[in-house]
Amino acid sequence: MTERLRDKPSTYKVWNQTPNPKTRHTHTDGQKVKLEEQFIVINDKTGDIDYVDYPGDWTCSPSNKENCLCNITFTNNPEGYVPHDKLKEEINETSNIIKIIDQNKKHLYELGLTSNAVEEIKNFTIKYRKETIEHGAIYSKNGTQLFYDSGTFGEIIFNFTNVSEDDESFSIHNHPIIQNVLQIGKGYSPPSAQDIRSMLQTKKEKYCVVINEKEIFVVKSPQRTYTNEEIEHVCDKIDNVYRKYDIKLRQELEEYKSFLDNNQTLNNNFKKNFSSRHKNVNLIIKIRKDKVIQLKEEYLKMKYRYSASNDILDILTQEELDSYYIEF
């Protein structure tokens, strides 16, 4: 088989899954590699990874080989090709998510989610967690999609018109990555006050699921009905968490900038290191400082995101809202 591949005049080969009840390579479907490269195939259920020349490759592990009905096609069109190193990184991240969700599925079942619902949460997370726009969907307890929409952050309004209470539906959406915004609630965030408000006001929404690049939050709708006053009380507490850590983030970053600007020893070392190699030493120093500040900002966002996540989980527990948190 390998020799026949080499004889093909095409530049790329493409993996095509064959849809059937036992399909397990949906995340490999459409993968395009150079003819001399190996596919990086991943098992949807287990996260197992294999490097193979073709579907059913005898070197493949049993979980990716047995009863595989996928096939390959050939093309000279480079569109959709991802360099192998980057592809490897993406597949490893996907594998990690699959394995972590599998490790936590018992807890999700205890919340009342079905295996089909957990599968859709996993697929949604893999597909949309790094998006820069917001995607939202409603699924029935059996994993049937009842609604989908996408748009800029905060624009999606879930439509439950065609959803019945018997569906025991859950909503799921991503908090998109928004660059150059100095707020912990942009891109790395647990449920917002509006997410919780919507769930408590909508009797048909049994679960609210929020995902981002690093986390999954699942909140279960309570058995009892909350009054408007109780809803606003919960939402105010959540909003206050964001306000508190956004202020801390800004203050600490300003203090760090001031430290860099006013530390004479540091500035002298900068000049000493760059003056002999660069004519415009002040510009080089500014560029270096900006990079250091950017790294500090990312560190602070992550630091306060964890704090906000824990505070909001505590609030949900205090307000008798069952929830579960997964980090990857």
Side-chain angles (χ1 to χ4, degrees), residues 142-169:
N142 294 321
T144 302
Q145 189 177 96
L146 305 173
F147 168 86
Y148 169 79
D149 194 13
S150 63
T152 57
F153 186 46
E155 283 191 352
I156 293 178
I157 298 176
F158 289 101
N159 187 346
F160 286 86
T161 303
N162 298 320
V163 179
S164 72
E165 289 195 41
D166 292 336
D167 288 321
E168 296 186 24
S169 66

Side-chain angles (χ1 to χ4, degrees), residues 93-216:
E93 288 178 356
T94 299
S95 173
N96 184 52
I97 291 171
I98 291 172
K99 291 179 178 180
I100 288 176
I101 292 178
D102 187 63
Q103 292 166 6
N104 287 273
K105 64 185 180 183
K106 177 183 175 182
H107 301 285
L108 298 176
Y109 295 159
E110 289 173 352
L111 271 183
L113 289 164
T114 65
S115 59
N116 286 339
V118 173
E119 190 70 14
E120 292 306 325
I121 291 172
K122 177 180 70 179
N123 291 336
F124 191 97
T125 301
I126 291 170
K127 188 172 184 179
Y128 296 123
R129 70 190 184 91
K130 288 188 174 182
E131 285 286 299
T132 55
I133 65 170
E134 189 171 3
H135 298 263
I138 299 172
Y139 290 90
S140 72
K141 64 180 178 182
N142 294 321
T144 302
Q145 189 177 96
L146 305 173
F147 168 86
Y148 169 79
D149 194 13
S150 63
T152 57
F153 186 46
E155 283 191 352
I156 293 178
I157 298 176
F158 289 101
N159 187 346
F160 286 86
T161 303
N162 298 320
V163 179
S164 72
E165 289 195 41
D166 292 336
D167 288 321
E168 296 186 24
S169 66
F170 68 92
S171 72
I172 181 169
H173 67 284
N174 66 307
H175 280 181
I177 297 172
I178 302 178
Q179 302 294 342
N180 302 320
V181 177
L182 195 59
Q183 287 179 264
I184 59 166
K186 302 292 186 182
Y188 293 113
S189 52
S192 66
Q194 182 54 40
D195 295 333
I196 300 302
R197 181 183 289 109
S198 175
M199 183 190 71
L200 294 176
Q201 291 176 339
T202 308
K203 293 182 179 180
K204 297 177 181 179
E205 186 178 1
K206 300 302 180 184
Y207 302 88
C208 169
V209 184
V210 181
I211 66 124
N212 56 52
E213 189 179 359
K214 300 290 185 182
E215 304 159 310
I216 301 174

Side-chain angles (χ1 to χ4, degrees), residues 291-303:
K291 181 62 178 178
V292 170
I293 290 169
Q294 181 185 358
L295 293 173
K296 181 69 172 182
E297 180 181 326
E298 291 305 312
Y299 163 75
L300 291 175
K301 282 183 178 179
M302 184 169 292
K303 170 185 172 181

Side-chain angles (χ1 to χ4, degrees), residues 79-98:
E79 185 177 354
Y81 172 75
V82 177
H84 220 241
D85 287 346
K86 185 176 180 182
L87 178 63
K88 180 179 178 180
E89 182 181 333
E90 292 175 354
I91 295 295
N92 283 334
E93 288 178 356
T94 299
S95 173
N96 184 52
I97 291 171
I98 291 172

Side-chain angles (χ1 to χ4, degrees), residues 263-280:
N263 190 309
Q264 195 60 45
T265 302
L266 183 64
N267 287 318
N268 288 338
N269 286 336
F270 268 128
K271 289 181 179 180
K272 181 180 179 181
N273 289 332
F274 297 122
S275 59
S276 61
R277 290 177 289 164
H278 302 281
K279 292 181 179 180
N280 197 341

